[in-house]
Amino acid sequence: MSPELREVYAALLDRAPENRIEPDLSRITRVMELMGNPQQAYRSIRIAGTNGKTTTARILERILREAGLRTGRTTSPHLHSPVERIGIDGSPIDEEGFLQAYQDVEPFAAIVDAEQEAAGGVRLTYFEYLTAMAFQAFASAPVDVAVVETGLGGTWDATGVVDPDVTVITPISMDHQEYLGDTIAEIAGEKAGILTATATAIIANQPYEDAADVLRERIGELGAEAAIEDQQIGVLSHTPGVGGQMLTLQGIAGRCEEVFLSLLGEHQARNALLAVAAAEALLGDGTTVLDGEMLGAALSTVTSPGRAEVVRQSPTIVLDAAHNPAGAQTLVETVRENFRLTRTIGLVGILQEKDAEEILAVLEPLLDHVVITQSSSPRAIPTDVLAEIARDVFDDEERVLEQGSLPDAIQAAVDLSETDGDQFGGVVVAGSVTLVAEVRDLLGVPQED
């Protein structure tokens, strides 16, 4: 980052950080009103759920761009730079554009901050300010449609100032209980807050019936149009291949036969299904099948950094930002389906607010050994603390290595994967977005253009 971007990013972080939120839409609503509601200048699709939101957003944005629309995309968190959170035409906004968006919001944020202070409230949060920046940047571009990923929940998430044409809810599981509730039903109730009477709802198959019940009830109350996975829409087939998989999908309007998706894992096939259905709903009101050539061009070139991403061969190194038990389980299934590793080594670092014991328990059957480490995030569980948890979970001290230095941890994992000259071992990096980002940097993996 340039010195100017570092200064602006520090100012954003000085607000309530991303893992500390203030559940209230009044601040973001007020600042957007002062700015003239730029988020109303284009159509929008809003995405909520526990896992799969970012990849679904990326696939959907790629389809819409291939269909000829100018697109905006806001996702979180970022891997390397905050500019990644605001995408236009498939690429992160440049630093100049990011700084301009910050300056565009600044005078209006100052008004809201002063009003809040006078009333005993809190300033615009980090996420609220970034959301306002994204919506302003999209209006300035201008874009035809914005693909908007929620930050947390849905009901009071800052992205709620948009009036979506389509809503998408990915699978819901336990995460962020401190804000969303202690039960699946409570969490699903918060996610269901993105649904509206006028937006077509695209709903993933839910791993928990309580979540499905809450979503069905809310759709019924609203009288919203809905397409639900394994009812109106579905993945009819997926065949793993080199660098991706071949899919046949049942969309809202009809079948999409034999299209190649350049992402690994059955979960990515399901994410693609949601994206296809959302695109059908936006582009043709759910009555027109997407052009096969257009769809093939989009799905075959989509990327999702840090999500089941293969960054090295010999040994194979797979990076995945799995940061909750459901994400870890999906990663295990993806590795087993797509790789024939004779030895699998984990490289794991987890943040303090996450369920480290359960994440490790899910990963344990996949791994021959695990190297425990930590990222540079101040929220990272210290290596020695996480290693103690891992030893209890793995119940075998010899399977757990502790290495606080990330470069040394990477080397240790690679060495373990090649023990006795094994040519078919691999390393699976997981546990947090920050860990994956730092491993990408250390391995020299290119960032997005």
Side-chain angles (χ1 to χ4, degrees):
M1 289 189 281
S2 68
E4 294 81 7
L5 181 57
R6 289 184 186 279
E7 182 179 349
V8 163
Y9 189 45
L12 288 167
L13 290 174
D14 191 50
R15 296 173 175 274
E18 194 156 29
N19 63 323
R20 274 212 340 265
I21 55 175
E22 296 291 339
D24 183 355
L25 285 176
S26 64
R27 293 177 300 277
I28 186 68
T29 299
R30 175 66 172 147
V31 79
M32 299 312 289
E33 287 174 347
L34 291 170
M35 294 170 62
N37 286 313
Q39 78 281 8
Q40 295 177 4
Y42 38 82
R43 304 180 76 186
S44 60
I45 299 174
R46 196 174 175 212
I47 303 175
T50 302
N51 291 308
K53 298 189 298 295
T54 294
T55 301
T56 301
R58 293 179 68 92
I59 299 172
L60 174 54
E61 186 273 341
R62 183 68 189 88
I63 295 170
L64 297 177
R65 188 155 43 92
E66 194 66 33
L69 298 182
R70 189 163 202 209
T71 58
R73 183 187 72 220
T74 177
T75 55
S76 61
H78 61 269
L79 276 172
H80 303 286
S81 168
V83 302
E84 297 167 19
R85 293 171 179 253
I86 304 174
I88 295 176
D89 287 335
S91 297
I93 195 171
D94 59 25
E95 287 195 6
E96 182 180 352
F98 189 90
L99 295 173
Q100 183 62 57
Y102 179 86
Q103 292 165 7
D104 288 345
V105 175
E106 193 170 23
F108 305 103
I111 294 171
V112 175
D113 289 346
E115 291 174 348
Q116 286 288 316
E117 183 178 358
V122 299
R123 296 191 301 162
L124 278 173
T125 66
Y126 167 83
F127 187 74
E128 288 168 344
Y129 202 117
L130 276 168
T131 299
M133 287 170 57
F135 293 156
Q136 175 61 24
F138 296 159
S140 297
V143 303
D144 299 309
V145 59
V147 179
V148 178
E149 177 187 339
T150 59
L152 279 175
T155 302
W156 37 256
D157 186 78
T159 60
V161 292
V162 301
D163 183 15
D165 297 83
V166 181
T167 57
V168 180
I169 297 183
T170 67
I172 296 169
S173 57
M174 300 297 287
D175 203 12
H176 300 297
Q177 291 95 309
E178 67 272 30
Y179 295 112
L180 303 182
D182 294 324
T183 68
I184 288 293
E186 289 174 331
I187 294 171
E190 291 293 341
K191 308 284 188 184
I194 75 165
L195 302 173
T196 74
T198 56
T200 301
I202 311 299
I203 308 296
N205 184 30
Q206 296 299 318
Y208 297 96
E209 191 60 33
D210 284 354
D213 289 342
V214 168
L215 297 179
R216 280 195 297 265
E217 182 178 348
R218 183 61 178 152
I219 288 167
E221 290 171 351
L222 293 168
E225 294 284 338
I228 300 174
E229 183 179 359
D230 294 338
Q231 295 183 32
Q232 293 82 9
I233 59 176
V235 178
L236 301 182
S237 67
H238 87 106
T239 305
V242 177
Q245 55 190 305
M246 192 66 71
L247 307 178
T248 295
L249 306 175
Q250 176 63 53
I252 301 173
R255 287 194 181 193
C256 306
E257 300 275 1
E258 294 293 300
V259 289
F260 183 76
L261 174 67
S262 55
L263 300 172
L264 300 174
E266 182 182 6
H267 66 296
Q268 300 291 31
R270 294 179 179 276
N271 290 337
L273 170 70
L274 301 179
V276 166
E280 286 181 310
L282 186 87
L283 295 172
D285 295 324
T287 61
T288 305
V289 180
L290 299 180
D291 177 77
E293 186 174 336
M294 178 274 290
L295 184 61
L299 296 188
S300 64
T301 54
V302 72
T303 61
S304 192
R307 276 77 180 177
E309 180 185 22
V310 180
V311 296
R312 284 283 180 90
Q313 303 285 355
S314 189
T316 298
I317 300 180
V318 182
L319 308 183
D320 195 280
H323 62 276
N324 55 41
Q329 183 59 49
T330 296
L331 173 59
V332 169
E333 293 166 359
T334 299
V335 172
R336 285 178 169 162
E337 179 182 60
N338 291 276
F339 302 95
R340 297 293 179 263
L341 302 177
T342 54
R343 184 190 305 271
T344 307
I345 309 302
L347 177 59
V348 177
I350 301 173
L351 301 185
Q352 291 172 0
E353 63 269 24
K354 300 299 181 177
D355 189 345
E357 183 175 358
E358 185 60 26
I359 292 170
L360 287 165
V362 172
L363 293 174
E364 184 273 331
L366 175 71
L367 305 177
D368 294 284
H369 294 83
V370 64
V371 179
I372 298 297
T373 190
Q374 66 185 85
S375 69
S376 62
S377 170
R379 295 156 52 198
I381 299 175
T383 301
D384 58 342
V385 175
L386 186 58
E388 281 301 310
I389 298 173
R391 290 186 186 103
D392 288 341
V393 170
F394 280 65
D395 197 27
D396 182 351
E397 290 199 7
E398 292 187 1
R399 292 175 64 199
V400 179
L401 279 76
E402 179 182 337
Q403 185 54 261
S405 163
L406 187 52
D408 291 344
I410 295 171
Q411 189 60 57
V414 169
D415 290 345
L416 279 170
S417 73
E418 296 176 328
T419 300
D420 299 326
D422 196 330
Q423 297 181 355
F424 301 101
V427 176
V428 176
V429 181
S432 77
V433 172
T434 55
L435 178 72
V436 165
E438 290 176 20
V439 171
R440 285 180 106 251
D441 279 340
L442 288 166
L443 293 178
V445 181
Q447 298 182 22
E448 279 192 285
D449 294 331

